Amino acid sequence: MVHRYQQGFPDRSRLRGVRSSLLAGLVSMVSASCAPAEPSHPANAVVIGAILPFSGRESAIGGNLEKAMLLAIEDLNAAGGLDGRPFDISSRDSHSSAERGWGPLLELLHTEQVNYVVGPEENDLALKIATEMRALDAFLMLPGYAAPSVARSDTRGGWMRLAPSPFAIGCALAKLAVRDGVATVNSLAARDDYNTNVSSRFITAFVELGGKSLPSTTFTSGEQAYTAELKSGFGHHADRTLLAAYPLTGSTIVTEWTASGRPGTWFLGPALRTEVLLANIPTGSLDGYVGVTPSLSLQNECHITDAARETVDCATENADAFIGHFSRRWDREVPFPAAHFYYDGVVLIAMGLAYAEATRGEIPRSGHELQQIIRDLNSPANESASWRDLKTAMAKLRAGIRVRYVGAAAEYEFDEYGANEHHFMQTWTIRGDAFVDLAPVAVTCNSWN
């Protein structure tokens, strides 16, 4: 799925140098396999690029995430756009692969000269493009769960991470294990950066909290069978085994595990909370097993209810309102939890651009500059502005008034590197063919988080 647009940003030939001819050839090959239609932008549009998995192993989520971004564009334009200029999206297919997604990403950056990109979902593709983003001083918004760490200081390029890190996910899983009286843990983890990080942080946190780890097993995604890996993982008889995988591979493992008699007890990694998993496993096979994903409750919707600060009660009114908004627009389709973050990623970029234009007379071309603006806007000292009233939010920004964003997924506050701070994780289980939310858990492994 490709939307190829023209964008009125300045020429970057001085930055590209001798790469130009090579890129032209690459883009030509990429374009040759694209859809024939080339829809144009509205006149004078400010274009935000998107690199999403429309094909490959993660293809089930790409369209849903793009719909969240398109909804954000519609809402922003209804709120007046960038002082009358419309926003628009240019999407490219990452093909769920760092290798195959590289060409489409370069096309966004060099052919269309997009300065602001949302995505990718693939950790290794985001890491691969870091050098290119620095060279162009472009901006990368990372809403995905598997986004890489942004704990680095740069003078060129800007990165922001919206979803919780593997540190936070691992902390929450470890606290759940301790709460349930678990003495030993291990994991079956896919050999990719995100899932191995979730696994290692879970094990590290659990040991720091007084538990014992047993040998874990890694595997390659996309295999036909995992007999040896299952035997190895459950042969140590851990009280809990974390399954850290993407849904298609996870469903293969769960199906084979079910046929083998369901040995052991699972914890379920965050990437598994998707209908793709439920559609590809025997109904009821994972009933009662617990997983963790980012909480979609706002911080002010959550309250600690005990002296030990371990029991959390969270309302879900804000997330429910976004689900209704999304479903009304997209024929009753329900947004994936990650889609909330993708909607917010677009809005955060637009808010930063609007404030910069009001206070500096022009929108920033520098990704480094835009990152600093968004961080400053989202200081707790600034008044809040909700996604549900973007008209008021954008009007205040156009008047040069700083506002912090209360989004569809979170109330944002960024650290010095551009990573959003998270205080609570959502726990859940499976019943039949549905996910069921359980009580949230506080993320307080601060010594290593």
Side-chain angles (χ1 to χ4, degrees), residues 388-412:
R388 290 190 266 191
D389 189 8
L390 289 179
K391 184 176 181 179
T392 297
M394 295 297 283
K396 288 183 176 180
L397 292 165
R398 286 191 289 267
I401 300 171
R402 293 186 180 191
V403 294
R404 59 184 173 85
Y405 181 51
V406 180
E411 188 171 354
Y412 291 94

Side-chain angles (χ1 to χ4, degrees), residues 83-132:
D83 200 18
R85 293 178 63 188
F87 292 99
D88 208 355
I89 294 290
S90 179
S91 297
R92 287 293 182 277
D93 187 359
S94 70
H95 303 281
S96 306
S97 164
E99 290 73 27
R100 296 189 64 200
W102 181 240
L105 232 174
L106 291 180
E107 186 180 2
L108 275 176
L109 292 171
H110 292 279
T111 301
E112 298 193 43
Q113 298 182 13
V114 170
N115 279 31
Y116 325 110
V117 177
V118 180
E121 275 289 293
E122 299 78 19
N123 184 289
D124 48 358
L125 181 55
L127 290 169
K128 186 175 180 179
I129 198 162
T131 301
E132 203 76 15

